[in-house]
Amino acid sequence: MSNTSAEIFDRGYRAYEGPRTGIGTAMRSVGVSTVQRALGLRRKFRFKIVPLLTVAVAYLPAIGFLAVAILLPADLAGQVVPEYAGYFGLINILMVLLAAFVVPEVMGSDRKTGMFGLYLASPLTRWHYLISKFVAIIMVMSLVTMLPVIFQMVGYSFLEIGPDGFVEILKTLGRIIASGFILSIFFGLFGMAASTFTDRQLFASAAIVILIVASEAFTSTLVDQANAPDWIRIFGLLTMPANLIARVFGETGVDAVRIEGLSDLGSLGVWVGFCAVFVGLITVGYRRLEVTK
Amino acid sequence: MGVGRAGSGSDPGKPSWVSQDWSGTVVLVNTATTERTSSPSAVISAVAVSKSWGSHQVFSDVTADVLPGVTGLLGSNGAGKTTLLGMLLALHAPDSGTLSVLGADPATAGPELRMHIGYAPEHHNLPNDVAAQDLVRHIALVHGLPKREATTRSSDALWLVGLGEERARPVGTMSTGQRQRVKLAQAIAHGPKLILLDEPTDGLDPVQRDDMLALIRRIGTDFGIHVLLSSHLLEEVERIADNVVILSNGTVRASGRIDDLRTGQGGMTAILDSGVELVAASLQRSGYEVAVERNKVSVGTTEPLEQLADALRDAIAENGAPLRRMEPVKQTLEDLFLDEVYGS
């Protein structure tokens, strides 16, 4: 008698009576698939270009600042390299790229390819689906909004030009994470809202870029040329989140994007208001969306 | 209760509900006086379901049962087949009436219920740049399968539909026939109890269509998965379905086992060794419509089959005609469809 054990590898298709995981696993699966799609993973190279380039560009300044800080003496380096809120100014621009080119891809493609219908034929509801998408988009955006700045802070700390002491490190880390969420949530929801009303990625991307540029040009013209009050700039889609981030870091320097005539709470309120409008648009759009009719 | 003919739009003088039990006894039930309830064995039951899109009434007072096995959902384009599938998946709520799918109300048990339902939509769009196995595995995960099961079962499902060797290929590089198979694979990979297939043979050539129909039939018989197949093609439903639901003008015109529906609706025939003319004359005197073709007498009627069978038997006995065979006329599904939908 042989002691060799045998194992059947191909049992063929059969009924499944085993346990099923809950909605949480289903949402996580949608989220993972969205992150992969957003970053171009398991896809052709051309789909990787925008996301990976954006992520790479986001880390370049941190690497540059650290290189400068390494080369210069600590006391001089502390004066030359920018603070964290300044870094978020660059990230703010990169978020436009992610909002305009990555978010429409992960939102519109599900409707265009019929995946949205397949999801709704699963245990997921449209609200589960939207939450999964939102969380995935925030995670992708966090690669750009949080990690480079955390990397910068860790580097500064090693070079002794960063926050002083454990408590200060925690405070700065908290501010970086809060600022990252401010940008990720704002641009994530903005991109989702713009993608809600068209399946065509190009239209959504164009709408996002045009709205951002137009809002900035219009508010700047009003304030600079027509002597409108400074708070009008809160309607600039880049200035508004940058203003809130400057307040999170308590920065008041010339580089800080701080809108005069608006309190910290007022700035937060405007941010919440914008986000609420985006959520409203997404809700209306997806509630009306018919899958089978 | 196995066979039903819904009454909306039928002649006022005709009974609005006909049912037939498994022994073949035909019972006439008037829906005006009898409460309509669903069959306990039904996979899907609809009782007095109505649905409108704006001012367009899609369904009006629809009552029908879908029995276990493979069921064809027949109707012309725009008859509301896809809307009905959407309602079964709880994607739309009926304006009135009650639905039951696998014994649960989709409106309240939606997510839990959908875990046990597979769905293959009509459209040919799928993510082009995703490998077939990744897509099928992803849908299995979304339906609640653990990771390992999702991986093995997605592979098994793709082998079953004949795409085992092609499973790593992006869907966008596949032919229409292969895409239809991927849609079928994703519908069955998570081990559903019921699958809803919306026009699964759309866009296929005759050979691919035959293969797909054989595959669906196999899924319905070998693996015990109930199949509701939406189609506007009578021939394919007749080939693989055990049951049928015929939709027209917002109503269910007929539903039940195809064999039962086809049997007896067109009258009876008797094959005699001699005396054909005598038997025909007797029946004509009794007011029946009779056709004679060589040694076969065919009798058409609108009255219950039992009554007609008695009259035919009496006519044969009265004339001493030697009887070889007597049986109900079996209509084709096309006859049945035309009769129910167009009344001709």
Side-chain angles (χ1 to χ4, degrees), chain B residues 216-236:
Chain B
I216 293 169
R217 180 71 199 165
R218 195 176 157 215
I219 288 167
T221 51
D222 292 5
F223 303 112
I225 299 173
H226 306 300
V227 180
L228 182 60
L229 163 82
S230 154
S231 177
H232 62 278
L233 300 172
L234 296 160
E235 186 261 339
E236 65 183 37

Side-chain angles (χ1 to χ4, degrees), chain B:
Chain B
M1 186 177 287
V3 177
R5 292 198 170 204
S8 300
S10 58
D11 295 341
K14 288 173 74 176
S16 55
W17 189 267
V18 181
S19 69
Q20 184 169 351
D21 65 20
W22 300 117
S23 63
T25 306
V26 176
V27 183
L28 303 184
V29 182
N30 192 330
T31 54
T33 55
T34 307
E35 189 183 350
R36 289 166 291 174
T37 54
S38 59
S39 160
S41 65
V43 177
I44 298 167
S45 287
V47 179
V49 169
S50 296
K51 176 72 184 170
S52 298
W53 293 116
S55 59
H56 174 58
Q57 181 91 37
V58 184
F59 295 120
S60 175
D61 198 25
V62 161
T63 297
D65 285 343
V66 171
L67 301 171
V70 180
T71 300
L73 178 61
L74 266 177
S76 51
N77 289 327
K81 301 188 294 291
T82 303
T83 298
L84 181 60
L85 296 186
M87 286 162 67
L88 300 177
L89 288 165
L91 301 181
H92 330 295
D95 298 336
S96 60
T98 55
L99 271 176
S100 166
V101 180
L102 299 172
D105 180 358
T108 54
E112 178 62 29
L113 180 62
R114 288 195 296 266
M115 218 171 259
H116 301 283
I117 299 178
Y119 171 59
E122 181 180 5
H123 61 75
H124 296 310
N125 294 337
L126 286 172
N128 284 337
D129 51 354
V130 177
Q133 181 157 15
D134 288 347
L135 176 71
V136 175
R137 179 180 178 272
H138 177 52
I139 296 298
L141 282 170
V142 168
H143 278 85
L145 256 63
K147 273 185 186 173
R148 191 171 170 173
E149 285 290 342
T151 304
T152 54
R153 290 188 63 86
S154 61
S155 182
D156 293 342
L158 283 162
W159 276 103
L160 178 68
V161 302
L163 291 176
E165 302 284 357
E166 313 287 336
R167 63 190 188 281
R169 264 178 64 188
V171 176
T173 65
M174 292 181 161
S175 67
T176 305
Q178 288 172 321
R179 282 164 176 251
Q180 289 282 29
R181 285 165 183 265
V182 172
K183 285 198 292 184
L184 184 59
Q186 64 80 29
I188 61 170
H190 60 92
K193 292 181 168 57
L194 165 70
I195 56 173
L196 310 176
L197 308 177
D198 200 353
E199 306 277 1
T201 58
D202 193 26
L204 303 186
D205 65 34
V207 176
Q208 290 174 328
R209 198 161 66 97
D210 286 351
D211 290 347
M212 177 61 86
L213 290 174
L215 193 54
I216 293 169
R217 180 71 199 165
R218 195 176 157 215
I219 288 167
T221 51
D222 292 5
F223 303 112
I225 299 173
H226 306 300
V227 180
L228 182 60
L229 163 82
S230 154
S231 177
H232 62 278
L233 300 172
L234 296 160
E235 186 261 339
E236 65 183 37
V237 168
E238 189 160 33
R239 270 173 60 182
I240 65 162
D242 306 306
N243 319 300
V244 69
V245 175
I246 297 177
L247 285 177
S248 175
N249 293 330
T251 59
V252 172
R253 306 307 293 253
S255 72
R257 287 176 51 81
I258 291 177
D259 281 347
D260 295 339
L261 285 167
R262 285 163 52 184
T263 302
Q265 304 300 335
M268 294 199 70
T269 60
I271 296 174
L272 307 168
D273 278 345
S274 61
V276 174
E277 297 299 336
L278 293 172
V279 171
S282 293
L283 288 164
Q284 277 169 336
R285 279 196 299 276
S286 303
Y288 290 103
E289 286 178 21
V290 183
V292 174
E293 184 188 348
R294 285 190 291 188
N295 62 340
K296 184 167 84 176
V297 185
S298 301
V299 195
T301 182
T302 54
E303 71 185 20
L305 198 62
E306 196 178 46
Q307 213 169 314
L308 175 63
D310 287 348
L312 182 58
R313 179 203 61 205
D314 291 348
I316 292 166
E318 181 186 310
N319 291 286
L323 174 67
R324 277 194 176 274
R325 192 163 71 232
M326 194 168 102
E327 63 186 3
V329 170
K330 284 201 171 188
Q331 292 178 298
T332 64
L333 197 55
E334 184 176 3
D335 293 335
L336 182 68
F337 183 79
L338 291 173
D339 189 33
E340 290 300 334
V341 175
Y342 300 108
S344 60

Side-chain angles (χ1 to χ4, degrees), chain A residues 209-231:
Chain A
V209 173
I210 288 169
L211 278 171
I212 288 172
V213 172
S215 69
E216 285 296 325
F218 184 64
T219 53
S220 296
T221 305
L222 282 179
V223 173
D224 299 338
Q225 308 294 326
N227 291 325
D230 197 51
W231 63 261

Side-chain angles (χ1 to χ4, degrees), chain A residues 13-14 21 43 119 122 292, chain B residues 92 114 129 138 144 153 188:
Chain A
Y13 183 85
R14 65 220 172 276
T21 55
R43 301 179 73 195
Y119 285 138
S122 79
T292 58
Chain B
H92 330 295
R114 288 195 296 266
D129 51 354
H138 177 52
R153 290 188 63 86
I188 61 170

Side-chain angles (χ1 to χ4, degrees), chain A residues 87-96 183 187 237-239 241-242:
Chain A
Y87 200 165
F88 276 106
L90 168 79
I91 290 171
N92 209 1
I93 306 288
L94 293 177
M95 294 307 289
V96 178
L183 283 184
F187 283 103
L237 293 172
L238 283 178
T239 305

